[in-house]
Amino acid sequence: MHLVIASKHDFSYPMSKHHSTTPVAIIGAGASGLMTAITIGRAIEASGTDPAKAGILLLDGAKKIGIKILVAGGGRCNVTHHEVDEKQYATTKPPIVRSTLKRFSAQDSMDFFNELGVELKQENTGKMFPITDDAHTVLDALLDECNRLGIRIVNPWRVDRVESLNDGFIIHRASIDQESQDSILADRIVLATGGRALPKSGSDGQGYTIAQSLGHSITDHILPALVPLVVAQQSKWITELSGISTRATISAVSSTGKHIKSFTNDLLCTHFGVSGPGPMDISRWFTTARLSDRHTTLMINWIPGYSFEDIDHQLNQLGKAQVVTHLRTQIPERLARTLCEQAQIDPSTPGHTLTREARRKLAHLLTETRVFINDDRGFTHAEVTAGGVPIEEVNRKDFRSKLCPNLWLVGEILDVDGRIGGFNFQWAWSTGYIVGNAVAKSMMNPAHI
Ligand SMILES: Cc1cc2nc3c(=O)[nH]c(=O)nc-3n(C[C@H](O)[C@H](O)[C@H](O)COP(=O)(O)OP(=O)(O)OC[C@H]3O[C@@H](n4cnc5c(N)ncnc54)[C@H](O)[C@@H]3O)c2cc1C
């Protein structure tokens, strides 16, 4: 069967000097935009129509496509995680996240990349990386597939604003260059503009303004998430441990002492405060809690799994053994010495000479160090955004806007953010796949316009 791609406009390609028209424009060629485009192309191909003739257009403001994919996972790109479920995400609607992840799962991502020739390997943390340990493998495979499907990627083409017409949209370019096309007519739009993390990559929050102009709201707060945290003066001593990385349990604790959220993972002390997977995972819980409770702090248990009572008991059993000799079997020696210093204990003190008060002070520091945070390192150092377009504003089945006809939203622009470990890319792949199929369906069935 040869299907007609439905466009209410005079669809012409390539773009002419004035208005060019396209059945679908995907704004943003990051992970979610690329996945959306590929899925549309494949669905059209599967129907027997040449996807190159379907007019799938990807617009991106960045000079270079896919910067975030290239920098992800320290340049290795942590594509997904071997086990993904809704519990790894901060969301107001866990059932929607659960069903989305079921419809395009981590296994589906692995199969998708395998099919593109990107073999993945699982690390003992459960994170999945390309076996090449090179993010270019991932980006190149996505771009090659776009190329094979005849998807047109136009960049740098930064969208300034979008006008909604009765039966489509006019997309306006940010800076008007007399020599090139300055606006495009589109029957359908997919907003894949990401959030505000790493603004130099092109994701600077302009997508929120576009979404708002089309009738959407954004959450009251748009905050950096997966972001390192800067300690306040009272906790400056942590910065003296710069370079130390150790497994710890880190919690966000309210002014009333309530543990809001905890993560056990590696913690890196830096010249400004704390970084690494544990602190980055806790950051969004800390910063959002602090909006309503200025006295929210962090609490670190440097010996995960052990309580104050356990450690107090251990220290009480030391006999003639020096405190530091015992502690360095559990934590890095430099950390042990610093914690002794904070407890005003000479690290070489034999255990049995410790006073009860000193012993309890040390046990308290080892399991319940209170850390005061001044700030986070901001969007420049954040990996993802907490907040965005409320997920309630899109149809749960296909992420179609409930507020603007023929608009879909995909990826990080939505108010869902995941932990460190490949979960944010998985969200981009899953939503991209769902939206891509929904858009393709509407393109192949004029009744859906
Ligand atoms: C340093 C870093 C490391 C990370 N590492 C990992 C990791 O290893 N694993 C993981 O799962 N996640 C990781 N993430 C998070 C992950 O990169 C994002 O969650 C994911 O890229 C979001 O995909 P997206 O397509 O929704 O948005 P983005 O990737 O942000 O893409 C949005 C695109 O839209 C374009 N755009 C924005 N506004 C406009 C406009 N007005 N006009 C035209 N184009 C526009 C941008 O240029 C950009 O290309 C990392 C993020 C960072 C910053």
Side-chain angles (χ1 to χ4, degrees), residues 219-394:
T219 50
D220 288 347
H221 300 284
I222 301 284
L223 297 170
L226 299 186
V227 65
L229 297 168
V230 182
V231 292
Q233 195 56 39
Q234 301 102 299
S235 300
K236 261 291 188 256
W237 58 269
I238 297 252
T239 63
E240 284 158 30
L241 294 166
S242 181
I244 283 186
S245 175
T246 186
R247 197 169 169 77
T249 298
I250 187 161
S251 311
V253 181
S254 76
S255 54
T256 57
K258 186 177 165 238
H259 282 235
I260 298 157
K261 192 87 179 170
S262 298
F263 291 99
T264 300
N265 211 327
D266 290 341
L267 179 153
L268 174 68
C269 300
T270 72
H271 64 283
F272 57 79
V274 285
S275 187
M280 305 245 307
D281 273 338
I282 204 73
S283 61
R284 64 105 55 226
W285 299 95
F286 172 79
T287 47
T288 45
R290 205 166 62 154
L291 290 171
S292 53
D293 177 1
R294 288 302 299 166
H295 300 293
T296 306
T297 55
L298 292 183
M299 190 175 276
I300 300 174
N301 182 342
W302 302 98
I303 312 180
Y306 289 84
S307 65
F308 165 82
E309 287 76 18
D310 297 334
I311 299 299
D312 187 45
H313 179 72
Q314 276 184 16
L315 294 173
N316 204 16
Q317 303 293 307
L318 283 187
K320 287 183 185 163
Q322 291 184 353
V323 172
V324 71
T325 312
H326 169 70
L327 289 184
R328 70 180 171 218
T329 63
Q330 291 171 301
I331 55 175
E333 180 167 343
R334 191 146 69 95
L335 171 61
R337 289 185 179 277
T338 303
L339 292 176
C340 286
E341 204 178 289
Q342 289 299 310
Q344 290 157 328
I345 291 170
D346 178 349
S348 56
T349 310
H352 67 96
T353 65
L354 281 177
T355 63
R356 180 174 184 272
E357 191 197 348
R359 193 186 71 227
R360 286 173 66 85
K361 197 167 179 187
L362 182 58
H364 178 70
L365 272 163
L366 284 160
T367 55
E368 295 171 357
T369 292
R370 191 59 76 106
V371 180
F372 297 89
I373 298 295
N374 212 10
D375 209 349
D376 59 62
R377 295 264 280 163
F379 282 109
T380 313
H381 297 274
E383 290 200 359
V384 73
T385 311
V389 175
I391 199 162
E392 295 86 345
E393 293 184 3
V394 293

Side-chain angles (χ1 to χ4, degrees), residues 27-33 59-62 66 68-69 71-74 77-80 129 157-160 192-195 197-198 201-204 206-207 210 382-384 410-413 421-426 428:
I27 305 176
S32 64
L59 299 171
D60 202 294
K68 263 192 209 175
I69 293 175
V71 300
C77 192
N78 175 198
V79 173
T80 186
F129 290 91
W157 209 100
R158 185 168 164 79
V159 176
D160 179 40
T193 43
L198 198 68
S201 69
S203 316
D204 59 0
Q206 174 73 6
I210 298 171
E383 290 200 359
V384 73
V410 69
E412 196 178 310
I413 190 172
F423 302 105
N424 287 298
F425 276 137
Q426 183 58 47

Side-chain angles (χ1 to χ4, degrees), residues 60 67 97 110 118 125 136 188 202 210 266 315 377-378 385 394 400 441:
D60 202 294
I67 291 180
V97 175
M110 293 173 218
V118 182
T125 52
H136 288 92
R188 303 163 189 79
I210 298 171
D266 290 341
L315 294 173
R377 295 264 280 163
T385 311
V394 293
R400 193 177 187 138
K441 200 170 156 194

Side-chain angles (χ1 to χ4, degrees), residues 114-129:
N114 264 323
E115 213 182 293
L116 293 184
V118 182
E119 211 180 313
L120 301 179
K121 61 174 175 182
Q122 181 184 327
E123 301 210 326
N124 51 18
T125 52
K127 294 179 183 179
M128 307 291 304
F129 290 91

Side-chain angles (χ1 to χ4, degrees), residues 397-433:
K397 287 209 170 70
D398 60 4
F399 290 81
R400 193 177 187 138
S401 166
K402 289 181 183 170
L403 303 165
C404 175
N406 300 316
L407 170 69
W408 283 260
L409 292 102
V410 69
E412 196 178 310
I413 190 172
L414 292 161
D415 177 23
V416 175
D417 52 288
R419 289 181 58 188
I420 278 210
F423 302 105
N424 287 298
F425 276 137
Q426 183 58 47
W427 179 248
W429 314 135
S430 296
T431 52
Y433 178 81

Side-chain angles (χ1 to χ4, degrees), residues 70-127:
L70 293 181
V71 300
R76 298 193 302 135
C77 192
N78 175 198
V79 173
T80 186
H81 193 276
H82 90 112
E83 248 180 328
V84 179
D85 62 38
E86 73 283 3
K87 293 188 200 79
Q88 315 307 327
Y89 296 83
T91 171
T92 52
K93 294 279 174 210
I96 300 183
V97 175
R98 179 166 57 240
S99 71
T100 302
L101 297 168
K102 272 199 179 142
R103 287 164 64 198
F104 192 83
S105 64
Q107 187 56 54
D108 291 327
S109 299
M110 293 173 218
D111 294 344
F112 170 80
F113 280 104
N114 264 323
E115 213 182 293
L116 293 184
V118 182
E119 211 180 313
L120 301 179
K121 61 174 175 182
Q122 181 184 327
E123 301 210 326
N124 51 18
T125 52
K127 294 179 183 179

